[in-house]
C-alpha cells in the first residue's frame, strides 16, 4: 500500500530543533522564556499594523480569552459564522452565552454581511443586542472585511476575527489577523504553521495583550503571596512549543507560496470539468494562503464530491467534506440561525483536497492520477 497522503500535515523548515535544543540547554522548560518572547516578536513583525501578540496554548484558548476580554458573560448572545470549525463557537458556550449563527455568502464562503445585519436588527428588536461577533477567514480566504467591519462599527458590536486558518492571507494588502477588535491565530498540527499545539491573541491595544497574559497565567495579582481578584486560566504557550514556532516563522512565506501552488495545480486539473469550481479569490483585493484547497461539485458535473472522495480513499489519499455548518450540528440545534442555504449547499457538494506545503512530486502525481479518472 502507498503511504498515506494527508490533507495537511506538519512541515518543518529546519531550524525548529535548534530553538528547542536552545530551550533545553538553558533550562527554559516552562510556559515562558526567550522562545515565547521571540515568537511573539516574530508574529508582531509579520502582522505589522501595531499588532500586539500574546502566545497561548491554543487558538481555542485565544477565542475564549477574547470573549472574556470583550465582557461576554452568562445570558449574552454572540453572533458567529455558522460554517466553521466548532472551536469558533464552543467558547461562547464556555461563557454561558448563546451563539446566534449567521450563514455564509457564496464569494468567500464566510459570514454574509446581509444576513449579519438582518440578525443584528432582529436580535435588537427581540430585546437583546449581541455582545460580540465572530467572523472566520475559512480555508485562508479573507471574509468581506470592509462590509463586516462597517457593520461592527455601525452597531458598535466588537469583532472577533478568527484567523486560525489564514496566517499569511491578506485583504487589500493588509494581513489577516489585524482586522478584529481582537484577533486570534492557531498553530495546531494541521495549520499553515504549527507549534505542535498553540495559538495567539492579537490586538493593536497593548493593554489587551497585558490583560490576556494576566488571565492566561492564573490571574495573579501583584503581591508577594498568591492573591487573586479574578478567575484565571492556564493558557500560556510553552517555551518548547514557541521554539518550534520561531523556526516555522522562517519558512512561513515559502509555505504559503507552496500552498498557493497547490491551488493553481487544482485549477489546472479541473479547468476542463463542467460544474466544478475550485475555490479561489473573488477579486484582487483578496489573497488567500490557500491553507486548504477546496472544490464544489455541482449537479452539472459528471461525478459527485463523494465519488471523488471515495476514489481518493481507495488510493490512501485523504480528502474531506467542507466544515459542516454549526446550525446543523446536533450540539447546537437549539441555537438561532439567520439564512443557512448557502453553507448547507457548500457542505453537501464541497470537498477539501490534499493541500500540504510538503506534498512531494510523487504524491502530486498520485493525486493527479485519481482526478484524471473524473475529468
Ligand atoms: C483550528 C481552528 C481553531 C482552533 O484552534 P486550536 O489551536 O486547534 O484550538 C479555531 N477556529 C478555526 C476556524 C480553526 O480552524
Amino acid at each position: 500500500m502507498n503511504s498515506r497522503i494527508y490533507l495537511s500535515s506538519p512541515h518543518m523548515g529546519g531550524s525548529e530543533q535548534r530553538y528547542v535544543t536552545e530551550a533545553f540547554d538553558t533550562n527554559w522548560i516552562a510556559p515562558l522564556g526567550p522562545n515565547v518572547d521571540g515568537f511573539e516578536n516574530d508574529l508582531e513583525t509579520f502582522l505589522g499594523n501595531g499588532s500586539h501578540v500574546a502566545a497561548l496554548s491554543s487558538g481555542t484558548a485565544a477565542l475564549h480569552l477574547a470573549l472574556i476580554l470583550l465582557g461576554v458573560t452568562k445570558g449574552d448572545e454572540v453572533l458567529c459564522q455558522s460554517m466553521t470549525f466548532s472551536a469558533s463557537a464552543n467558547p461562547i458556550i464556555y461563557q454561558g452565552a448563546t451563539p446566534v449563527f449567521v450563514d455564509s455568502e457564496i464569494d468567500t464562503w464566510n459570514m454574509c454581511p446581509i444576513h449579519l445585519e438582518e440578525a443584528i436588527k432582529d436580535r435588537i428588536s427581540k430585546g437583546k443586542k449581541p455582545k460580540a461577533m465572530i467572523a472566520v477567514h475559512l480555508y485562508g480566504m479573507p471574509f468581506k472585511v470592509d462590509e463586516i467591519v462597517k457593520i461592527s462599527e455601525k452597531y458598535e458590536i466588537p469583532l472577533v476575527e478568527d484567523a486560525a486558518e489564514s496566517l499569511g492571507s491578506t485583504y487589500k494588502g493588509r494581513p489577516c489577523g489585524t482586522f478584529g477588535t481582537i484577533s486570534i491565530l492557531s498553530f495546531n498540527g494541521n495549520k499553515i504553521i504549527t507549534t505542535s499545539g498553540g495559538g495567539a491573541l492579537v490586538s493593536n491595544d497593548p493593554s489587551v495583550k497585558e490583560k490576556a497574559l494576566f488571565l492566561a497565567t492564573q490571574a495573579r495579582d501583584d503581591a508577594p503571596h498568591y492573591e487573586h481578584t479574578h478567575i484565571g486560566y492556564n493558557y500560556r504557550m510553552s517555551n518548547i512549543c514557541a521554539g518550534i514556532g520561531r523556526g516555522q516563522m522562517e519558512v512561513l512565506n515559502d509555505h504559503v507560496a507552496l500552498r498557493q501552488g497547490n491551488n493553481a495545480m487544482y485549477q489546472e486539473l479541473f479547468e476542463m470539468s463542467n460544474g466544478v469550481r475550485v475555490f479561489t479569490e473573488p477579486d484582487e483585493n483578496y489573497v488567500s494562503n490557500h491553507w486548504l484547497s477546496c472544490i464544489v461539485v455541482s449537479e452539472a458535473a459528471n461525478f459527485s464530491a463523494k465519488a471523488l472522495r471515495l476514489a481518493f480513499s481507495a488510493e490512501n489519499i485523504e480528502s474531506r467534506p467542507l466544515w459542516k455548518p454549526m446550525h446543523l450540528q446536533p450540539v447546537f440545534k437549539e441555537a438561532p440561525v439567520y439564512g443557512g442555504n448557502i453553507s448547507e449547499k457548500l457542505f453537501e457538494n464541497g470537498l477539501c483536497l490534499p493541500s500540504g506545503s510538503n506534498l512531494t512530486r510523487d504524491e502530486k502525481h498520485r493525486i493527479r492520477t485519481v482526478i484524471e479518472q473524473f475529468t
Side-chain angles (χ1 to χ4, degrees), residues 57-61 63 84-85 87-88 136 138 162 164-165 184-188 190-191 198-199 291 323:
S57 54
S58 71
T60 310
L63 281 160
T84 185
F85 179 45
S88 303
V136 189
L138 224 49
D162 182 343
E165 302 177 359
I184 75 97
L185 304 171
S186 167
F187 315 111
N188 207 333
N190 60 350
K191 296 288 156 73
W291 169 58
W323 295 124

Side-chain angles (χ1 to χ4, degrees), residues 322-333:
L322 303 185
W323 295 124
K324 182 174 179 176
M326 290 304 114
H327 72 270
L328 299 181
Q329 298 288 356
V331 74
F332 290 124
K333 66 176 187 295

